[in-house]
Amino acid sequence: MTSDRWGIAALLVALALVPLGVHDSYLLHVMILIFLNIMLATSMWLLGITHLISFGQAGFMFIGAMTSALLTKDLGVSFWIALPIAGVLPAAIAAPVGRLSLRVRGVYFFLVTLAFGEVVRGIFAYFQTPFGGWYGIRDIPPPSPRWLFTPLDKVPFYYLGLVLVVLTCWVIWRISRSWFGEVLWSIRESELLASSVGINVTGYKLVAFIISAFVAGLAGSFYANYVGYISPLIFDFQYSVSILIFIVVGGFSTLAGPVVGAVVLTIVPELFRATGKYQMLIFGMILVVSMLTMPDGITGAIRRLRRRRAA
């Protein structure tokens, strides 16, 4: 086993032991938010391999959250059945949306996915029944068994989030290292060269788009049944931009980039929450400084530091 794998194994063991030493519900809540953000950041990272950035991730997450909320609250379906359905439905919707949006390139793709996210919000906000309108849906039941997943105990939700994020990162890492991932990286290097050797560039981009939507739907399902409340006011354009910022700050070259970015940019705003109205100002200043001093992200800066030490 290589040193990196030993490090990952040690990290997983440490994360599994966190609830044994941390009994503060707020700290566990922050960790759960980190897990959610990592799922979303890594899903966009997979799509970003092909030079595509989707501003519709919040929309797909909202679809997954709404699906899980309606199934568990209105129809009485178990969360464990609603969870995969909440991933499959956004993926199914992503297929035709991707076919249409991939016909355009560059900034036009951003605008199409942005419009899709806003359309999703508008539909859910317009219909009071069954989507709850702008007020959203409240009192979404937690996963079963109810005696284990209670609003006062964050530990079961922590372990559920840990399992989901580990599976997500492992699957996306395996995809990025497989022959499919190699094709995606080749498309990133040169679409023209990839298509000249017989690669269906649009088809591979579409599959990456669908996988990204599936993961966002799973994250939305977990969010809905953890928080117990969803609303169109939550899954807005800014949410998708935040996911992109996770990748930019963390670095794009490896899967560790979006993971590190999601961890750092979830913790930093919480550290400055006591500053009140100056919280976002301080966060913005830190973000600008990090992008100016580390243009290739935190992981890129760490790599450069290692090279200097080796030299």
Side-chain angles (χ1 to χ4, degrees), residues 123-167:
I123 292 175
F124 288 150
Y126 181 79
F127 292 98
Q128 188 72 29
T129 304
F131 305 130
W134 286 106
Y135 295 101
I137 299 179
R138 300 178 182 274
D139 301 323
I140 302 171
S144 56
R146 299 291 178 85
W147 59 265
L148 180 61
F149 290 90
T150 62
L152 298 179
D153 189 3
K154 302 291 185 183
V155 175
F157 290 102
Y158 174 89
Y159 283 115
L160 175 58
L162 179 60
V163 171
L164 288 176
V165 77
V166 169
L167 288 176

mmCIF file of all heavy atoms in Angstrom, residues 123-167:
data_model
loop_
_atom_site.group_PDB
_atom_site.id
_atom_site.type_symbol
_atom_site.label_atom_id
_atom_site.label_comp_id
_atom_site.label_asym_id
_atom_site.label_seq_id
_atom_site.Cartn_x
_atom_site.Cartn_y
_atom_site.Cartn_z
ATOM 1 N N ILE A 123 -40.697 26.615 -11.434
ATOM 2 C CA ILE A 123 -41.780 25.615 -11.448
ATOM 3 C C ILE A 123 -42.161 25.224 -10.026
ATOM 4 O O ILE A 123 -43.342 25.190 -9.666
ATOM 5 C CB ILE A 123 -41.348 24.383 -12.263
ATOM 6 C CG1 ILE A 123 -41.226 24.745 -13.742
ATOM 7 C CG2 ILE A 123 -42.345 23.243 -12.078
ATOM 8 C CD1 ILE A 123 -40.685 23.624 -14.602
ATOM 9 N N PHE A 124 -41.162 24.927 -9.207
ATOM 10 C CA PHE A 124 -41.454 24.525 -7.830
ATOM 11 C C PHE A 124 -42.045 25.675 -7.016
ATOM 12 O O PHE A 124 -42.827 25.449 -6.095
ATOM 13 C CB PHE A 124 -40.178 24.017 -7.157
ATOM 14 C CG PHE A 124 -39.732 22.671 -7.658
ATOM 15 C CD1 PHE A 124 -38.379 22.342 -7.673
ATOM 16 C CD2 PHE A 124 -40.645 21.743 -8.110
ATOM 17 C CE1 PHE A 124 -37.958 21.095 -8.131
ATOM 18 C CE2 PHE A 124 -40.241 20.501 -8.583
ATOM 19 C CZ PHE A 124 -38.905 20.176 -8.599
ATOM 20 N N ALA A 125 -41.667 26.904 -7.353
ATOM 21 C CA ALA A 125 -42.207 28.048 -6.621
ATOM 22 C C ALA A 125 -43.627 28.400 -7.067
ATOM 23 O O ALA A 125 -44.424 28.915 -6.274
ATOM 24 C CB ALA A 125 -41.297 29.262 -6.803
ATOM 25 N N TYR A 126 -43.953 28.116 -8.327
ATOM 26 C CA TYR A 126 -45.269 28.514 -8.860
ATOM 27 C C TYR A 126 -46.392 27.629 -8.331
ATOM 28 O O TYR A 126 -47.478 28.113 -8.015
ATOM 29 C CB TYR A 126 -45.231 28.459 -10.385
ATOM 30 C CG TYR A 126 -46.526 28.863 -11.041
ATOM 31 C CD1 TYR A 126 -46.863 30.204 -11.180
ATOM 32 C CD2 TYR A 126 -47.420 27.903 -11.522
ATOM 33 C CE1 TYR A 126 -48.064 30.587 -11.773
ATOM 34 C CE2 TYR A 126 -48.615 28.270 -12.110
ATOM 35 C CZ TYR A 126 -48.927 29.611 -12.239
ATOM 36 O OH TYR A 126 -50.113 29.981 -12.822
ATOM 37 N N PHE A 127 -46.117 26.343 -8.214
ATOM 38 C CA PHE A 127 -47.173 25.407 -7.819
ATOM 39 C C PHE A 127 -47.170 25.231 -6.300
ATOM 40 O O PHE A 127 -46.253 24.629 -5.728
ATOM 41 C CB PHE A 127 -46.984 24.055 -8.514
ATOM 42 C CG PHE A 127 -47.214 24.106 -10.003
ATOM 43 C CD1 PHE A 127 -46.150 24.215 -10.878
ATOM 44 C CD2 PHE A 127 -48.503 24.056 -10.511
ATOM 45 C CE1 PHE A 127 -46.363 24.263 -12.246
ATOM 46 C CE2 PHE A 127 -48.727 24.100 -11.879
ATOM 47 C CZ PHE A 127 -47.648 24.214 -12.749
ATOM 48 N N GLN A 128 -48.210 25.759 -5.683
ATOM 49 C CA GLN A 128 -48.359 25.612 -4.239
ATOM 50 C C GLN A 128 -48.586 24.164 -3.859
ATOM 51 O O GLN A 128 -48.133 23.690 -2.814
ATOM 52 C CB GLN A 128 -49.520 26.484 -3.748
ATOM 53 C CG GLN A 128 -49.658 26.565 -2.235
ATOM 54 C CD GLN A 128 -48.566 27.399 -1.602
ATOM 55 O OE1 GLN A 128 -48.043 28.322 -2.226
ATOM 56 N NE2 GLN A 128 -48.212 27.085 -0.354
ATOM 57 N N THR A 129 -49.317 23.458 -4.723
ATOM 58 C CA THR A 129 -49.571 22.036 -4.521
ATOM 59 C C THR A 129 -48.993 21.273 -5.714
ATOM 60 O O THR A 129 -49.320 21.587 -6.865
ATOM 61 C CB THR A 129 -51.084 21.751 -4.424
ATOM 62 O OG1 THR A 129 -51.645 22.546 -3.375
ATOM 63 C CG2 THR A 129 -51.351 20.292 -4.142
ATOM 64 N N PRO A 130 -48.130 20.323 -5.511
ATOM 65 C CA PRO A 130 -47.704 19.755 -4.215
ATOM 66 C C PRO A 130 -46.362 20.297 -3.718
ATOM 67 O O PRO A 130 -45.836 19.801 -2.734
ATOM 68 C CB PRO A 130 -47.563 18.279 -4.550
ATOM 69 C CG PRO A 130 -47.034 18.288 -5.955
ATOM 70 C CD PRO A 130 -47.672 19.483 -6.637
ATOM 71 N N PHE A 131 -45.794 21.312 -4.409
ATOM 72 C CA PHE A 131 -44.416 21.707 -4.123
ATOM 73 C C PHE A 131 -44.287 22.747 -3.013
ATOM 74 O O PHE A 131 -43.178 23.075 -2.614
ATOM 75 C CB PHE A 131 -43.747 22.235 -5.393
ATOM 76 C CG PHE A 131 -43.790 21.268 -6.542
ATOM 77 C CD1 PHE A 131 -44.234 21.676 -7.797
ATOM 78 C CD2 PHE A 131 -43.406 19.955 -6.369
ATOM 79 C CE1 PHE A 131 -44.273 20.788 -8.850
ATOM 80 C CE2 PHE A 131 -43.441 19.059 -7.418
ATOM 81 C CZ PHE A 131 -43.882 19.469 -8.674
ATOM 82 N N GLY A 132 -45.385 23.306 -2.550
ATOM 83 C CA GLY A 132 -45.323 24.257 -1.443
ATOM 84 C C GLY A 132 -45.031 25.687 -1.828
ATOM 85 O O GLY A 132 -44.941 26.549 -0.948
ATOM 86 N N GLY A 133 -44.859 25.971 -3.131
ATOM 87 C CA GLY A 133 -44.593 27.335 -3.557
ATOM 88 C C GLY A 133 -43.284 27.863 -2.996
ATOM 89 O O GLY A 133 -42.342 27.120 -2.724
ATOM 90 N N TRP A 134 -43.234 29.193 -2.798
ATOM 91 C CA TRP A 134 -42.029 29.816 -2.258
ATOM 92 C C TRP A 134 -41.787 29.429 -0.807
ATOM 93 O O TRP A 134 -40.663 29.537 -0.306
ATOM 94 C CB TRP A 134 -42.118 31.331 -2.368
ATOM 95 C CG TRP A 134 -41.930 31.842 -3.764
ATOM 96 C CD1 TRP A 134 -42.884 32.333 -4.600
ATOM 97 C CD2 TRP A 134 -40.694 31.883 -4.501
ATOM 98 N NE1 TRP A 134 -42.338 32.686 -5.806
ATOM 99 C CE2 TRP A 134 -40.990 32.429 -5.777
ATOM 100 C CE3 TRP A 134 -39.383 31.524 -4.203
ATOM 101 C CZ2 TRP A 134 -40.021 32.616 -6.743
ATOM 102 C CZ3 TRP A 134 -38.417 31.709 -5.175
ATOM 103 C CH2 TRP A 134 -38.732 32.252 -6.426
ATOM 104 N N TYR A 135 -42.825 28.995 -0.114
ATOM 105 C CA TYR A 135 -42.664 28.595 1.288
ATOM 106 C C TYR A 135 -41.995 27.221 1.405
ATOM 107 O O TYR A 135 -41.486 26.870 2.468
ATOM 108 C CB TYR A 135 -44.019 28.569 1.991
ATOM 109 C CG TYR A 135 -44.658 29.929 2.090
ATOM 110 C CD1 TYR A 135 -45.666 30.308 1.221
ATOM 111 C CD2 TYR A 135 -44.244 30.845 3.049
ATOM 112 C CE1 TYR A 135 -46.249 31.563 1.296
ATOM 113 C CE2 TYR A 135 -44.819 32.103 3.136
ATOM 114 C CZ TYR A 135 -45.827 32.463 2.257
ATOM 115 O OH TYR A 135 -46.400 33.704 2.329
ATOM 116 N N GLY A 136 -42.023 26.439 0.326
ATOM 117 C CA GLY A 136 -41.365 25.147 0.344
ATOM 118 C C GLY A 136 -42.127 24.092 1.130
ATOM 119 O O GLY A 136 -43.319 24.222 1.394
ATOM 120 N N ILE A 137 -41.432 23.065 1.499
ATOM 121 C CA ILE A 137 -42.005 21.932 2.228
ATOM 122 C C ILE A 137 -41.310 21.815 3.574
ATOM 123 O O ILE A 137 -40.075 21.766 3.649
ATOM 124 C CB ILE A 137 -41.853 20.617 1.436
ATOM 125 C CG1 ILE A 137 -42.584 20.711 0.097
ATOM 126 C CG2 ILE A 137 -42.385 19.431 2.238
ATOM 127 C CD1 ILE A 137 -42.459 19.469 -0.761
ATOM 128 N N ARG A 138 -42.120 21.745 4.616
ATOM 129 C CA ARG A 138 -41.597 21.618 5.973
ATOM 130 C C ARG A 138 -41.890 20.226 6.530
ATOM 131 O O ARG A 138 -42.641 19.458 5.958
ATOM 132 C CB ARG A 138 -42.217 22.678 6.890
ATOM 133 C CG ARG A 138 -41.957 24.102 6.458
ATOM 134 C CD ARG A 138 -42.636 25.087 7.383
ATOM 135 N NE ARG A 138 -42.427 26.469 6.952
ATOM 136 C CZ ARG A 138 -41.374 27.206 7.288
ATOM 137 N NH1 ARG A 138 -40.448 26.687 8.089
ATOM 138 N NH2 ARG A 138 -41.241 28.443 6.856
ATOM 139 N N ASP A 139 -41.279 19.939 7.654
ATOM 140 C CA ASP A 139 -41.523 18.698 8.398
ATOM 141 C C ASP A 139 -41.279 17.457 7.543
ATOM 142 O O ASP A 139 -42.039 16.489 7.567
ATOM 143 C CB ASP A 139 -42.955 18.676 8.939
ATOM 144 C CG ASP A 139 -43.245 19.846 9.862
ATOM 145 O OD1 ASP A 139 -42.337 20.230 10.620
ATOM 146 O OD2 ASP A 139 -44.371 20.383 9.809
ATOM 147 N N ILE A 140 -40.194 17.499 6.771
ATOM 148 C CA ILE A 140 -39.800 16.315 5.993
ATOM 149 C C ILE A 140 -39.245 15.280 6.969
ATOM 150 O O ILE A 140 -38.357 15.587 7.771
ATOM 151 C CB ILE A 140 -38.744 16.678 4.939
ATOM 152 C CG1 ILE A 140 -39.289 17.772 4.009
ATOM 153 C CG2 ILE A 140 -38.334 15.461 4.128
ATOM 154 C CD1 ILE A 140 -38.261 18.344 3.073
ATOM 155 N N PRO A 141 -39.755 14.068 6.936
ATOM 156 C CA PRO A 141 -39.333 13.078 7.945
ATOM 157 C C PRO A 141 -37.885 12.648 7.752
ATOM 158 O O PRO A 141 -37.390 12.596 6.618
ATOM 159 C CB PRO A 141 -40.293 11.906 7.711
ATOM 160 C CG PRO A 141 -40.718 12.036 6.290
ATOM 161 C CD PRO A 141 -40.777 13.519 6.012
ATOM 162 N N PRO A 142 -37.192 12.336 8.824
ATOM 163 C CA PRO A 142 -35.809 11.842 8.729
ATOM 164 C C PRO A 142 -35.804 10.389 8.256
ATOM 165 O O PRO A 142 -36.851 9.739 8.178
ATOM 166 C CB PRO A 142 -35.303 11.967 10.165
ATOM 167 C CG PRO A 142 -36.532 11.823 11.003
ATOM 168 C CD PRO A 142 -37.643 12.457 10.219
ATOM 169 N N PRO A 143 -34.636 9.860 7.961
ATOM 170 C CA PRO A 143 -34.562 8.447 7.574
ATOM 171 C C PRO A 143 -35.045 7.521 8.693
ATOM 172 O O PRO A 143 -35.094 7.904 9.865
ATOM 173 C CB PRO A 143 -33.074 8.237 7.278
ATOM 174 C CG PRO A 143 -32.544 9.603 6.987
ATOM 175 C CD PRO A 143 -33.340 10.536 7.844
ATOM 176 N N SER A 144 -35.382 6.332 8.308
ATOM 177 C CA SER A 144 -35.784 5.324 9.291
ATOM 178 C C SER A 144 -34.548 4.508 9.689
ATOM 179 O O SER A 144 -33.594 4.384 8.903
ATOM 180 C CB SER A 144 -36.861 4.425 8.705
ATOM 181 O OG SER A 144 -36.427 3.830 7.503
ATOM 182 N N PRO A 145 -34.559 3.948 10.905
ATOM 183 C CA PRO A 145 -35.622 4.003 11.917
ATOM 184 C C PRO A 145 -35.654 5.352 12.634
ATOM 185 O O PRO A 145 -34.612 5.961 12.867
ATOM 186 C CB PRO A 145 -35.249 2.869 12.874
ATOM 187 C CG PRO A 145 -33.758 2.751 12.747
ATOM 188 C CD PRO A 145 -33.435 3.074 11.322
ATOM 189 N N ARG A 146 -36.850 5.808 12.982
ATOM 190 C CA ARG A 146 -37.035 7.128 13.571
ATOM 191 C C ARG A 146 -36.377 7.247 14.941
ATOM 192 O O ARG A 146 -35.977 8.342 15.339
ATOM 193 C CB ARG A 146 -38.540 7.430 13.691
ATOM 194 C CG ARG A 146 -39.274 7.440 12.357
ATOM 195 C CD ARG A 146 -38.868 8.626 11.507
ATOM 196 N NE ARG A 146 -39.533 8.623 10.225
ATOM 197 C CZ ARG A 146 -40.740 9.123 10.000
ATOM 198 N NH1 ARG A 146 -41.426 9.649 11.012
ATOM 199 N NH2 ARG A 146 -41.271 9.096 8.792
ATOM 200 N N TRP A 147 -36.283 6.124 15.671
ATOM 201 C CA TRP A 147 -35.663 6.203 16.993
ATOM 202 C C TRP A 147 -34.163 6.446 16.899
ATOM 203 O O TRP A 147 -33.533 6.915 17.861
ATOM 204 C CB TRP A 147 -35.935 4.921 17.780
ATOM 205 C CG TRP A 147 -35.433 3.663 17.117
ATOM 206 C CD1 TRP A 147 -36.146 2.827 16.326
ATOM 207 C CD2 TRP A 147 -34.107 3.115 17.182
ATOM 208 N NE1 TRP A 147 -35.365 1.777 15.878
ATOM 209 C CE2 TRP A 147 -34.105 1.934 16.403
ATOM 210 C CE3 TRP A 147 -32.934 3.496 17.831
ATOM 211 C CZ2 TRP A 147 -32.974 1.142 16.246
ATOM 212 C CZ3 TRP A 147 -31.804 2.710 17.678
ATOM 213 C CH2 TRP A 147 -31.841 1.543 16.896
ATOM 214 N N LEU A 148 -33.567 6.151 15.735
ATOM 215 C CA LEU A 148 -32.133 6.369 15.557
ATOM 216 C C LEU A 148 -31.849 7.749 14.969
ATOM 217 O O LEU A 148 -30.999 8.495 15.475
ATOM 218 C CB LEU A 148 -31.545 5.292 14.652
ATOM 219 C CG LEU A 148 -30.044 5.375 14.359
ATOM 220 C CD1 LEU A 148 -29.239 5.259 15.645
ATOM 221 C CD2 LEU A 148 -29.631 4.276 13.369
ATOM 222 N N PHE A 149 -32.575 8.112 13.899
ATOM 223 C CA PHE A 149 -32.379 9.396 13.246
ATOM 224 C C PHE A 149 -33.357 10.409 13.860
ATOM 225 O O PHE A 149 -34.501 10.528 13.423
ATOM 226 C CB PHE A 149 -32.611 9.285 11.742
ATOM 227 C CG PHE A 149 -31.550 8.503 11.030
ATOM 228 C CD1 PHE A 149 -31.673 7.129 10.858
ATOM 229 C CD2 PHE A 149 -30.413 9.123 10.530
ATOM 230 C CE1 PHE A 149 -30.702 6.402 10.195
ATOM 231 C CE2 PHE A 149 -29.438 8.402 9.873
ATOM 232 C CZ PHE A 149 -29.579 7.040 9.713
ATOM 233 N N THR A 150 -32.897 11.107 14.863
ATOM 234 C CA THR A 150 -33.716 12.104 15.551
ATOM 235 C C THR A 150 -33.084 13.489 15.349
ATOM 236 O O THR A 150 -31.856 13.597 15.184
ATOM 237 C CB THR A 150 -33.816 11.806 17.053
ATOM 238 O OG1 THR A 150 -32.503 11.871 17.632
ATOM 239 C CG2 THR A 150 -34.399 10.423 17.283
ATOM 240 N N PRO A 151 -33.893 14.553 15.367
ATOM 241 C CA PRO A 151 -33.349 15.899 15.160
ATOM 242 C C PRO A 151 -32.321 16.313 16.208
ATOM 243 O O PRO A 151 -31.484 17.176 15.950
ATOM 244 C CB PRO A 151 -34.599 16.789 15.234
ATOM 245 C CG PRO A 151 -35.737 15.883 14.899
ATOM 246 C CD PRO A 151 -35.365 14.552 15.447
ATOM 247 N N LEU A 152 -32.375 15.711 17.393
ATOM 248 C CA LEU A 152 -31.470 16.105 18.471
ATOM 249 C C LEU A 152 -30.138 15.368 18.431
ATOM 250 O O LEU A 152 -29.199 15.749 19.135
ATOM 251 C CB LEU A 152 -32.150 15.870 19.829
ATOM 252 C CG LEU A 152 -33.435 16.674 20.076
ATOM 253 C CD1 LEU A 152 -34.019 16.319 21.436
ATOM 254 C CD2 LEU A 152 -33.163 18.175 19.977
ATOM 255 N N ASP A 153 -30.045 14.317 17.628
ATOM 256 C CA ASP A 153 -28.829 13.512 17.579
ATOM 257 C C ASP A 153 -28.244 13.589 16.173
ATOM 258 O O ASP A 153 -28.827 13.064 15.217
ATOM 259 C CB ASP A 153 -29.140 12.058 17.955
ATOM 260 C CG ASP A 153 -27.866 11.236 18.129
ATOM 261 O OD1 ASP A 153 -26.764 11.808 18.013
ATOM 262 O OD2 ASP A 153 -27.983 10.021 18.379
ATOM 263 N N LYS A 154 -27.097 14.241 16.046
ATOM 264 C CA LYS A 154 -26.464 14.422 14.741
ATOM 265 C C LYS A 154 -25.585 13.236 14.339
ATOM 266 O O LYS A 154 -25.206 13.130 13.175
ATOM 267 C CB LYS A 154 -25.590 15.683 14.764
ATOM 268 C CG LYS A 154 -26.312 16.961 15.120
ATOM 269 C CD LYS A 154 -27.276 17.385 14.051
ATOM 270 C CE LYS A 154 -27.900 18.731 14.375
ATOM 271 N NZ LYS A 154 -28.908 19.142 13.381
ATOM 272 N N VAL A 155 -25.265 12.359 15.271
ATOM 273 C CA VAL A 155 -24.305 11.294 14.992
ATOM 274 C C VAL A 155 -24.766 10.361 13.865
ATOM 275 O O VAL A 155 -23.993 10.075 12.944
ATOM 276 C CB VAL A 155 -23.988 10.492 16.269
ATOM 277 C CG1 VAL A 155 -23.084 9.309 15.952
ATOM 278 C CG2 VAL A 155 -23.331 11.395 17.308
ATOM 279 N N PRO A 156 -26.018 9.851 13.879
ATOM 280 C CA PRO A 156 -26.440 8.988 12.762
ATOM 281 C C PRO A 156 -26.374 9.707 11.412
ATOM 282 O O PRO A 156 -25.972 9.107 10.405
ATOM 283 C CB PRO A 156 -27.876 8.608 13.130
ATOM 284 C CG PRO A 156 -27.947 8.767 14.613
ATOM 285 C CD PRO A 156 -27.062 9.929 14.921
ATOM 286 N N PHE A 157 -26.760 10.991 11.378
ATOM 287 C CA PHE A 157 -26.668 11.752 10.131
ATOM 288 C C PHE A 157 -25.206 11.930 9.716
ATOM 289 O O PHE A 157 -24.889 11.929 8.517
ATOM 290 C CB PHE A 157 -27.330 13.115 10.300
ATOM 291 C CG PHE A 157 -28.825 13.069 10.420
ATOM 292 C CD1 PHE A 157 -29.441 13.189 11.651
ATOM 293 C CD2 PHE A 157 -29.617 12.902 9.292
ATOM 294 C CE1 PHE A 157 -30.816 13.145 11.771
ATOM 295 C CE2 PHE A 157 -30.997 12.854 9.395
ATOM 296 C CZ PHE A 157 -31.597 12.975 10.633
ATOM 297 N N TYR A 158 -24.329 12.082 10.695
ATOM 298 C CA TYR A 158 -22.903 12.222 10.394
ATOM 299 C C TYR A 158 -22.384 10.973 9.689
ATOM 300 O O TYR A 158 -21.705 11.074 8.655
ATOM 301 C CB TYR A 158 -22.126 12.468 11.682
ATOM 302 C CG TYR A 158 -20.626 12.471 11.492
ATOM 303 C CD1 TYR A 158 -19.945 13.644 11.177
ATOM 304 C CD2 TYR A 158 -19.882 11.294 11.621
ATOM 305 C CE1 TYR A 158 -18.568 13.648 10.999
ATOM 306 C CE2 TYR A 158 -18.508 11.298 11.448
ATOM 307 C CZ TYR A 158 -17.860 12.471 11.136
ATOM 308 O OH TYR A 158 -16.494 12.462 10.941
ATOM 309 N N TYR A 159 -22.693 9.814 10.240
ATOM 310 C CA TYR A 159 -22.198 8.573 9.625
ATOM 311 C C TYR A 159 -22.844 8.320 8.266
ATOM 312 O O TYR A 159 -22.189 7.808 7.346
ATOM 313 C CB TYR A 159 -22.424 7.397 10.561
ATOM 314 C CG TYR A 159 -21.427 7.331 11.691
ATOM 315 C CD1 TYR A 159 -21.825 7.490 13.019
ATOM 316 C CD2 TYR A 159 -20.078 7.123 11.432
ATOM 317 C CE1 TYR A 159 -20.903 7.442 14.055
ATOM 318 C CE2 TYR A 159 -19.146 7.081 12.457
ATOM 319 C CZ TYR A 159 -19.560 7.243 13.764
ATOM 320 O OH TYR A 159 -18.636 7.206 14.785
ATOM 321 N N LEU A 160 -24.119 8.686 8.117
ATOM 322 C CA LEU A 160 -24.766 8.546 6.814
ATOM 323 C C LEU A 160 -24.091 9.446 5.792
ATOM 324 O O LEU A 160 -23.801 9.027 4.661
ATOM 325 C CB LEU A 160 -26.255 8.887 6.922
ATOM 326 C CG LEU A 160 -27.041 8.898 5.605
ATOM 327 C CD1 LEU A 160 -26.954 7.558 4.899
ATOM 328 C CD2 LEU A 160 -28.496 9.283 5.862
ATOM 329 N N GLY A 161 -23.815 10.694 6.180
ATOM 330 C CA GLY A 161 -23.116 11.605 5.282
ATOM 331 C C GLY A 161 -21.718 11.128 4.955
ATOM 332 O O GLY A 161 -21.252 11.263 3.818
ATOM 333 N N LEU A 162 -21.030 10.544 5.941
ATOM 334 C CA LEU A 162 -19.678 10.038 5.708
ATOM 335 C C LEU A 162 -19.703 8.895 4.700
ATOM 336 O O LEU A 162 -18.864 8.843 3.780
ATOM 337 C CB LEU A 162 -19.071 9.567 7.031
ATOM 338 C CG LEU A 162 -17.664 8.977 6.963
ATOM 339 C CD1 LEU A 162 -16.679 9.989 6.415
ATOM 340 C CD2 LEU A 162 -17.218 8.492 8.346
ATOM 341 N N VAL A 163 -20.648 7.987 4.838
ATOM 342 C CA VAL A 163 -20.759 6.875 3.895
ATOM 343 C C VAL A 163 -21.044 7.389 2.488
ATOM 344 O O VAL A 163 -20.437 6.947 1.499
ATOM 345 C CB VAL A 163 -21.851 5.892 4.348
ATOM 346 C CG1 VAL A 163 -22.130 4.856 3.257
ATOM 347 C CG2 VAL A 163 -21.440 5.191 5.639
ATOM 348 N N LEU A 164 -21.974 8.331 2.371
ATOM 349 C CA LEU A 164 -22.328 8.865 1.056
ATOM 350 C C LEU A 164 -21.147 9.569 0.395
ATOM 351 O O LEU A 164 -20.894 9.386 -0.806
ATOM 352 C CB LEU A 164 -23.509 9.820 1.182
ATOM 353 C CG LEU A 164 -24.876 9.193 1.478
ATOM 354 C CD1 LEU A 164 -25.921 10.277 1.681
ATOM 355 C CD2 LEU A 164 -25.303 8.262 0.350
ATOM 356 N N VAL A 165 -20.400 10.365 1.166
ATOM 357 C CA VAL A 165 -19.307 11.114 0.567
ATOM 358 C C VAL A 165 -18.149 10.189 0.204
ATOM 359 O O VAL A 165 -17.477 10.396 -0.825
ATOM 360 C CB VAL A 165 -18.856 12.249 1.509
ATOM 361 C CG1 VAL A 165 -17.998 11.733 2.657
ATOM 362 C CG2 VAL A 165 -18.085 13.313 0.737
ATOM 363 N N VAL A 166 -17.902 9.165 1.008
ATOM 364 C CA VAL A 166 -16.829 8.218 0.679
ATOM 365 C C VAL A 166 -17.180 7.449 -0.596
ATOM 366 O O VAL A 166 -16.334 7.287 -1.490
ATOM 367 C CB VAL A 166 -16.583 7.251 1.855
ATOM 368 C CG1 VAL A 166 -15.678 6.104 1.427
ATOM 369 C CG2 VAL A 166 -15.958 7.989 3.030
ATOM 370 N N LEU A 167 -18.414 6.976 -0.698
ATOM 371 C CA LEU A 167 -18.840 6.264 -1.911
ATOM 372 C C LEU A 167 -18.771 7.180 -3.129
ATOM 373 O O LEU A 167 -18.324 6.764 -4.205
ATOM 374 C CB LEU A 167 -20.260 5.731 -1.728
ATOM 375 C CG LEU A 167 -20.422 4.548 -0.780
ATOM 376 C CD1 LEU A 167 -21.895 4.183 -0.632
ATOM 377 C CD2 LEU A 167 -19.635 3.334 -1.285
#
